[in-house]
Amino acid sequence: MRKIVLLAAVLVGALLPAVEAQAAQTATVVSPKRPLNVRAGAAVWTAQLRTLPHGSPVTIVCQVRGQLINQGSVRVTDQWDRLSDGSYVSDAWIRRPQQALPPCDTAPAAAAPAAGAAAGTTAGTVASGSTPLKARTGPAHGARLISALPDGTPLTLVCQVRGENIAGLVRTTPMWNRLPSGTYISDAYVRRGATPPACPAAAPPAAPVTAAPGEKWVSPLPGFSARPGFRTARNPNHIGVDIMAFTGTPIRAASAGTVVEVVCNIEAGRSCDQPGSASVRGCGWYVKLQHAGGISTLYCHMVRRAVVEPGQKVAAGQVIGYVGSSGNSSAPHLHYEVHVNAPPTGPHNAIDPLPFMRTHGAPIG
Ligand SMILES: [Zn+2]
């Protein structure tokens, strides 16, 4: 009998790769009362990216375990479906063919599986009871919330830093664990074996940051000014500032550097060559510049493709494109971001451009 059970297990194991290799599945949103929220992660406390009306077709790439949703119209489940653009919807509201969906290898709302943790890292598990453990941009509960990890989520712990003292279910400690994504979780809610090593001292610096000495900075839109708008209470995910201007106003490189990206960033089926709207996702036609000292700047919503090309060197003040309203924009403006310790650029290393530009002799607000 034991032999037969073992054989069955081997067979299931042998079949798994075939299931995982299965292509993306087309499914349908079943949410007759109100549109389904599409989110940045596998829980309702992650950012809402857009909504999908009842009956919308969706393409599901894979599934992750996340927040349990028990008022869906199709099923009660903690499975969330990752869509082809990397966003998530609860599987509780999705009618789909009965085949199993492949598990996602990695997901923003769930850390990398602990099994086979990379060399030099420590495996662990979230032990937070009914409240998911918050992963934040820094080692304190005041740092920005990036994702929430349900109880039992396997973890890969890269290293530890000292932060806010937290009394948790596992221990009371000021130590926070850095995850591979660069976010931090309190060690008070982590079940683990060995203590992860101390993180190297080079944490992202706080604004204002000093660029390479001698670099000249100028306003990207001389004569126009930005309102404070970096990570406001109303819009905590806004990692730049908006400078209102007129369509066609020249946008200038804020400092000398190299063009690293010229991209149309917009949701599928939309064009960057026409004005967007508040309901359109993406920053439209944009340019990213790399400057000395690990500083990177980003210029969004251009009216058309930039007039520079990737790899091109630009001088401070050189025209790189023209103001428009492409992408997630309801009026012509420049969305301007400054990142430190780049590349890469991301929410983790965006800083408020207003104090940065002021410090560098080119106030924009
Ligand atoms: Zn903006």
Side-chain angles (χ1 to χ4, degrees):
M1 189 60 201
R2 185 175 172 79
K3 233 176 200 168
I4 291 165
V5 170
L6 274 175
L7 182 62
V10 167
L11 274 174
V12 170
L15 285 172
L16 271 175
V19 174
E20 281 169 11
Q22 189 182 308
Q25 229 180 72
T26 302
T28 308
V29 172
V30 182
S31 182
K33 289 203 183 124
R34 57 177 184 272
L36 178 62
N37 290 319
V38 181
R39 299 191 175 274
V44 300
W45 48 81
T46 65
Q48 181 193 324
L49 303 179
R50 60 180 187 278
T51 60
L52 288 168
H54 174 62
S56 298
V58 287
T59 303
I60 302 170
V61 177
C62 57
Q63 280 190 327
V64 295
R65 188 178 151 220
Q67 184 189 13
L68 177 75
I69 301 296
N70 55 17
Q71 57 298 49
S73 55
V74 178
R75 61 184 73 80
V76 172
T77 180
D78 63 358
Q79 293 297 308
W80 287 63
D81 302 325
R82 188 192 290 175
L83 307 184
S84 47
D85 65 351
S87 59
Y88 293 84
V89 292
S90 167
D91 197 43
W93 304 91
I94 298 294
R95 180 170 299 135
R96 53 181 176 74
Q98 287 307 305
Q99 304 107 290
L101 278 156
C104 303
D105 293 321
T106 55
T121 64
T122 307
T125 309
V126 173
S128 61
S130 56
T131 310
L133 179 58
K134 311 286 195 303
R136 300 183 180 277
T137 54
H141 85 272
R144 195 162 70 95
L145 174 63
I146 297 295
S147 61
L149 311 173
D151 187 59
T153 303
L155 298 165
T156 298
L157 311 173
V158 177
C159 57
Q160 283 194 332
V161 296
R162 183 172 291 273
E164 183 182 354
N165 193 52
I166 303 287
L169 296 182
V170 180
R171 60 185 74 81
T172 296
T173 177
M175 301 312 289
W176 289 61
N177 298 293
R178 188 188 294 170
L179 303 181
S181 59
T183 57
Y184 295 84
I185 54 172
S186 167
D187 197 39
Y189 292 99
V190 174
R191 195 167 290 129
R192 55 173 174 72
T195 305
C199 297
V209 172
T210 306
E215 291 295 322
K216 181 188 163 200
W217 287 77
V218 300
S219 168
L221 277 183
F224 298 88
S225 57
R227 297 163 299 177
F230 180 81
R231 282 189 182 140
T232 58
R234 255 186 78 197
N235 196 353
N237 296 323
H238 192 242
I239 58 171
V241 290
D242 297 323
I243 309 176
M244 307 310 292
F246 307 108
T247 299
T249 306
I251 299 168
R252 297 169 185 280
S255 189
T258 306
V259 179
V260 289
E261 285 180 30
V262 175
V263 174
C264 164
N265 175 249
I266 203 161
E267 63 187 74
R270 302 274 191 160
S271 164
C272 285
D273 290 322
Q274 61 192 54
S277 74
S279 64
V280 173
R281 293 277 308 155
C283 90
W285 277 122
Y286 79 85
V287 164
K288 189 194 289 182
L289 301 181
Q290 181 68 44
H291 310 284
I295 308 288
S296 183
T297 53
L298 199 79
Y299 311 76
C300 294
H301 311 305
M302 290 180 176
V303 67
R304 56 180 177 271
R305 194 177 205 280
V307 296
V308 290
E309 293 296 332
Q312 185 179 335
K313 302 261 187 251
V314 292
Q318 183 174 337
V319 174
I320 56 174
Y322 296 91
V323 169
S325 194
S326 57
N328 176 232
S329 168
S330 47
H333 75 287
L334 169 66
H335 170 96
Y336 176 61
E337 294 179 12
V338 177
H339 296 261
V340 297
N341 294 335
T345 62
H348 67 288
N349 62 357
I351 61 168
D352 188 343
L354 294 188
F356 176 88
M357 294 301 283
R358 203 180 309 125
T359 312
H360 291 87
I364 57 171

